[in-house]
Amino acid sequence: EVLLRLRTQLLELTEAGKVIKQQQDKVREILADLAQSAPAGCFVEVGVYRGGSAALLYSIARAQGRELYLYDTFSGMPYCDAEIDVHTLGEFADCDLALIRQALPEAHFQVGIFPATLAKMPPIAFVHADADQYQSTRDICLTLGPLMAPGGLMLFDDYRGLKGCIKAVDECFPHREVLPDERALVRF
């Protein structure tokens, strides 16, 4: 009986894992489609963490002859408003900047707290905003919004379920679209 229960639990976990993988694949597909359809200009990601989305953007940028700018502290969350932010100060510090740099050698890495690390960039075609917290997301909106190319796209990964991100996006871009996967998209 115990073995039967364990086997059933394992099957349930396997099925749940398949569903999660399908959801992740769909999220990556939408990210790729949006980036590929963006007008002329560079790509930007704020909130790189371990570089999963950055690697996808890097391959598209290389194929299309674009520059990719990556902004992150690479030392964890720099802000936390306990009333609206879920992640704690310093969370997501478990990344390896050297490894990410090695995997994405032609990307422009801006290490530190955004927007203090803002680099001079060409007009921005596509932004993948994955900063999780209210202050960081608001900084993305206010700093990068004016730098967007006409027709440019800004995708907010954390709009689905993170109150701080939702609040910042809604304050700055009330005209935003909410995609079927609950991420927010702003068209410029």
Side-chain angles (χ1 to χ4, degrees):
E1 186 175 315
V2 172
L3 286 176
L4 183 59
R5 265 190 291 147
L6 287 174
R7 184 170 186 265
T8 302
Q9 288 175 350
L10 181 60
L11 286 173
E12 288 171 359
L13 287 173
T14 301
E15 287 305 310
K18 286 179 187 175
V19 169
I20 290 169
K21 176 150 179 17
Q22 288 171 348
Q23 291 170 339
Q24 289 171 336
D25 290 347
K26 187 65 177 168
V27 164
R28 289 176 60 80
E29 180 183 326
I30 292 169
L31 175 66
D33 289 347
L34 289 170
Q36 288 170 338
S37 71
C42 68
F43 290 167
V44 172
E45 182 171 62
V46 183
V48 178
Y49 187 41
R50 293 182 175 166
S53 298
L56 178 61
L57 291 174
Y58 182 81
S59 66
I60 297 167
R62 298 255 309 145
Q64 294 183 345
R66 301 176 189 258
E67 294 181 68
L68 172 63
Y69 291 82
L70 301 173
Y71 292 88
D72 202 303
T73 64
F74 296 99
S75 61
M77 290 291 170
Y79 304 111
C80 179
D81 179 339
E83 293 194 18
I84 57 173
D85 292 328
V86 174
H87 302 296
T88 58
L89 202 62
E91 192 171 345
F92 297 113
D94 59 329
C95 57
D96 186 340
L97 176 57
L99 185 63
I100 300 168
R101 280 187 195 268
Q102 183 179 5
L104 312 174
E106 294 180 30
H108 302 277
F109 286 82
Q110 304 307 127
V111 180
I113 298 175
F114 181 86
T117 57
L118 186 66
K120 185 169 174 51
M121 299 180 289
I124 302 169
F126 182 78
V127 172
H128 182 234
D130 194 1
D132 299 329
Q133 310 293 65
Y134 172 78
Q135 185 61 53
S136 298
T137 302
R138 184 169 169 77
D139 288 342
I140 291 167
C141 297
L142 297 176
T143 304
L144 299 182
L147 303 177
M148 297 298 293
L153 303 168
M154 193 177 286
L155 180 66
F156 293 89
D157 194 74
D158 302 307
Y159 194 80
R160 52 187 164 175
L162 293 182
K163 290 179 187 177
C165 178
I166 294 167
K167 180 180 179 189
V169 172
D170 288 353
E171 285 175 357
C172 296
F173 300 120
H175 63 282
R176 57 65 193 125
E177 299 171 43
V178 179
L179 301 177
D181 67 0
E182 298 180 4
R183 288 182 293 176
L185 178 68
V186 178
R187 297 176 191 272
F188 291 84

